[in-house]
Amino acid sequence: MRKLPFVHTAALAMSLASPAMAADLPMTSAVPYAAPRFSWTSCYVGGHLGGGFARKVMTDPVQLVQDSFLGAGSTAGTTTAGTSPAGAVIGGQIGCDYETASSLVFGIEGSASGSTMKGSTSVGLPLGNPDIGLMQANTDFLASVTGRVGYAFDNVLLYAKGGAALAGDKYNVSGTFTGLPYNFQGLENRYGWVAGGGVDWAFARHWSVNVEYNYYSFGHGGILMSDSINGFTGVVDVKQTVQVVKVGLNFHIWGSGW
Amino acid sequence: MRTYGGRSDRSLGNCRLFAAVAMLAVAAGFLSVGFASPAQALPSFARQTGQPCGTCHTDFPALTPYGRRFKLLGYTTGGGEFQTTPFSSKAAQDARAEYDQMLGYVKTLPANPTTPEADKDYVPPISMMAIVGYTHTQAPLTGTDPYSANDNVVLSPFSAFYGGAITDNVGAFAQVTYNAVPPGGFGDPFGHTWTWDNTDVRYASTARIGPLDLIYGITANNNPSVQDVWNTTPAWSFPYTASTILGPQGHPTTIEGAFAAHVGGVGAYTFINDLLYLELTGYKTLGFSQQNALGTDPFGEPGQLGSIAPYWRIALEPHWGRNTLMIGAFGAQFNVHPWIDTSFASWSTSVFPQSDKFTDIGFDSQYQYQGDNYWLTLRGSYIREFQQLDASFLNAGASNPTNLLNSLKLQASFAYGADNRVVFTGQYFNQWGTADMSLYGTDPVTGLASTPNTNGFMAEIAYIPFGAGKMIGWPWFNARIGLQYTYYNKLNGTTIAAHDNNTLFLHAWFAM
């Protein structure tokens, strides 16, 4: 901002003037020097890197395949198949905080990540030869809008956060059934909630690094699976949760024009 | 090679490259020598503000920090030699003072006008624009009737604008455009050559609430992201003009123009402490007859929105010294009922009762550096679209019930000079997504479902004769001469014949 040059000019003038005055001043000061307290009141932008660990339980991939080939009602009972995709999480965040006089910090943050979380498991198809199908589950996108509240010990902030979340998921059930290939695929954007917490350490005037844990719950819901080879479609239910541990680096802008 | 369904003897242009280059050179020389006039992006904005083109634009329509704030303040900032509004008052001066107080981007702001506002003339803020371009594709096209298979010169588009203040707090950018008949003709009976185009009417004001210094406003517009002030969102992203014979190919996401001029939207925005931008706007489909009356082909959109489509935007723009950085995100959700018969062969304008839902989330960033005699701008954007195709899948319009589509653009632009400005721009583009036979056809090699995957590069060199000065004829004219080349590495899921679509586009862009 335009004010800055004047501030800098004034600071420069003071620093140039001070040596001449130093000889006239006592060498010690009666008032001890106090380092300026870090203020969390700011908007910030940054990136993060971590690991994601999901749990996905699908009901019922066996019925999906067998009933598609043999007709509805062919499969007796219900089968669930669970997998635990894991992978890297990398992304960015943008947010703003406000610190009260009592060191409470309130903020809002938007975060988005790409993810390599991927997992698979095998399921038996007893009405086949018998056959085995492969269920794969990926989560390639995680996003959230959260509020956060914390307490600042000067440049260290302990905080909790919570809000709305979105996951981008992909599911495949593939293999052969009585010698015939199939490949069911389903994509979804699933909304849920996220809660977590962490510690943020401001190690420089504009920079902070944090370690954070988040728990995402996306409940369960139906996913329409389609088999492009045979033209089959069917719905499976998937219940999923995701846990993420990540390290973030933020640049704090300190309001207008820093 | 892209086809348009049959070639005709009614070719408008068999012009050769030499003739096209000669014509453009003559046109450029005419403006440069004959008028010797400086250029403004919209001359009406220049008349209103008293600012030369280069104050608001690095390369029009790409905005500088000053240009972004002019737009955020509702196109109402005055300061020129003409009355700001038909109702000019002292308030316009106050708004400008507020504006100047907020900004530190322009080294030399114009001196306060000595002429009292009441004694100034009022000139309606009307501008016009015309682009004449020569298009050459690597391989001749088919089905280009009424044009030649290659080497066409076309005058299109031609636009008229209202650009400027209406009152002290209300301003507008409103465009009406003539588009030449597309290659192959209109695909249905509702194609028009004249249409309403990008329109953004705003109310804007400023306020101070405690430590918060605000610009706030209301926008009414007809194209999601046309109201945005960074050239990373779809409506004003590069390329700023393209061949009407063979424009950018591929499969853009829905937010990248699918509903431009097919919708109307109203939203609210604020810019806090010259740093944080927030916006929320809702869009509604215009009725079939309304669109037709406005010159928009209703069948040019994927269908009709079944509900209000929310558009959101957040951006942080820190700035220090001559550097300006923006990091942001945007998105929209469109609940679309597809047309049953876009050919109108069955005389139906009905839509399917089921709907497709497109959820777009975008991330963008821009860095600008203002040198002594140049601007360096780096831009990037990524859009992820989740498609839940309930209607299309059920009605055989798509092979999958759900698809993903991604769009990435990475760009660098270097604008050198004040007057006689030369702008070099390069862009990498990439679209990729789920294979779907009904939507994208069959891969010519594998025989399997094809993908929307398209990628390549664009390069452009542009010459803007008037950027910073106020020469004879100022502020009435503007020009931009550009040479643009588009290279396709992959198009519509395959590299086979992708290069045939490589396009050279030499164009002259005039504004008055």
Side-chain angles (χ1 to χ4, degrees), chain A residues 77-103:
Chain A
T78 302
T79 305
T80 60
T83 181
S84 300
V89 172
I90 184 169
Q93 63 274 344
I94 186 170
C96 293
D97 287 327
Y98 177 76
E99 182 176 2
T100 67
S102 55
S103 297

Side-chain angles (χ1 to χ4, degrees), chain A residues 165-250:
Chain A
L166 165 72
D169 302 314
K170 179 181 178 183
Y171 300 95
N172 281 85
V173 178
S174 59
T176 58
F177 186 77
T178 62
L180 301 173
Y182 61 89
N183 183 13
F184 287 90
Q185 178 178 296
L187 297 167
E188 72 164 352
N189 263 6
R190 183 172 288 195
Y191 298 92
W193 56 265
V194 58
V199 57
D200 207 347
W201 170 49
F203 61 89
R205 184 184 170 200
H206 291 296
W207 295 94
S208 73
V209 61
N210 64 62
V211 179
E212 184 175 299
Y213 166 80
N214 288 310
Y215 178 86
Y216 297 78
S217 176
F218 296 99
H220 66 89
I223 298 167
L224 182 59
M225 305 286 286
S226 66
D227 172 15
S228 58
I229 298 174
N230 304 291
F232 297 145
T233 61
V235 176
V236 295
D237 182 275
V238 173
K239 180 179 181 181
Q240 65 167 325
T241 59
V242 180
Q243 299 179 74
V244 171
V245 177
K246 61 185 181 181
V247 175
L249 180 67
N250 286 326

Side-chain angles (χ1 to χ4, degrees), chain A residues 224, chain B residues 354-357 388-395 400-402:
Chain A
L224 182 59
Chain B
Q354 309 86 10
S355 65
D356 296 333
K357 185 181 288 184
Q388 186 174 323
L389 305 171
D390 294 346
S392 296
F393 180 67
L394 192 64
N395 296 287
N400 303 321
T402 48

Side-chain angles (χ1 to χ4, degrees), chain B residues 307-325:
Chain B
S307 56
I308 300 291
Y311 166 89
W312 57 271
R313 174 71 158 133
I314 178 172
L316 267 176
E317 190 187 75
H319 44 83
W320 66 102
R322 297 180 173 194
N323 307 270
T324 305
L325 176 68

Side-chain angles (χ1 to χ4, degrees), chain B residues 104-300:
Chain B
Y105 306 103
V106 180
K107 286 182 283 187
T108 306
L109 286 171
N112 287 330
T114 53
T115 308
E117 188 77 0
D119 294 340
K120 292 180 181 177
D121 294 329
Y122 174 70
V123 176
I126 304 298
S127 299
M128 289 181 287
M129 174 194 88
I131 297 176
V132 57
Y134 162 79
T135 302
H136 173 80
T137 51
Q138 185 160 319
L141 304 171
T142 59
T144 56
D145 178 27
Y147 306 100
S148 298
N150 211 340
D151 300 322
N152 289 283
V153 174
V154 179
L155 173 61
S156 180
F158 173 82
S159 295
F161 302 85
Y162 181 99
I166 299 171
T167 73
D168 294 336
N169 293 99
V170 178
F173 174 96
Q175 182 178 3
V176 177
T177 295
Y178 164 83
N179 290 303
V181 175
F186 295 110
D188 60 70
F190 302 99
H192 301 274
T193 52
W194 282 96
T195 177
W196 77 325
D197 207 329
N198 288 325
T199 298
D200 177 27
V201 182
R202 289 170 182 254
Y203 167 86
S205 188
T206 59
R208 186 178 290 275
I209 304 173
L212 304 181
D213 202 356
L214 306 176
I215 295 175
Y216 66 94
I218 296 170
T219 171
N221 64 75
N222 67 345
N223 180 5
S225 79
V226 75
Q227 69 273 40
D228 201 57
V229 296
W230 291 275
N231 296 88
T232 48
T233 49
W236 296 110
S237 63
F238 183 83
Y240 308 126
T241 186
S243 168
T244 53
I245 299 295
L246 191 68
Q249 303 293 292
H251 298 276
T253 58
T254 305
I255 201 172
E256 294 177 284
F259 286 96
H262 296 280
V263 294
V266 177
Y269 65 92
T270 184
F271 193 41
I272 303 170
N273 283 5
D274 207 28
L275 174 68
L276 176 63
Y277 178 80
L278 301 169
E279 182 200 334
L280 182 62
T281 298
Y283 290 91
K284 188 178 185 305
T285 292
L286 300 177
F288 191 97
S289 57
Q290 291 171 317
Q291 293 187 43
N292 194 39
L294 289 165
T296 305
D297 182 355
F299 290 138

Side-chain angles (χ1 to χ4, degrees), chain B residues 297-380:
Chain B
D297 182 355
F299 290 138
E301 63 177 334
Q304 295 214 284
L305 297 175
S307 56
I308 300 291
Y311 166 89
W312 57 271
R313 174 71 158 133
I314 178 172
L316 267 176
E317 190 187 75
H319 44 83
W320 66 102
R322 297 180 173 194
N323 307 270
T324 305
L325 176 68
M326 183 278 291
I327 296 175
F330 58 95
Q333 188 172 72
F334 305 92
N335 194 26
V336 183
H337 294 265
W339 301 110
I340 291 175
D341 177 17
T342 55
S343 69
F344 201 59
S346 61
W347 297 81
S348 171
T349 61
S350 302
V351 296
F352 288 111
Q354 309 86 10
S355 65
D356 296 333
K357 185 181 288 184
F358 301 88
T359 304
D360 292 13
I361 299 177
F363 305 95
D364 60 334
S365 184
Q366 173 177 284
Y367 169 75
Q368 271 184 332
Y369 179 80
Q370 181 180 17
D372 286 337
N373 198 31
Y374 65 90
W375 284 91
L376 172 67
T377 307
L378 306 176
R379 299 186 178 97

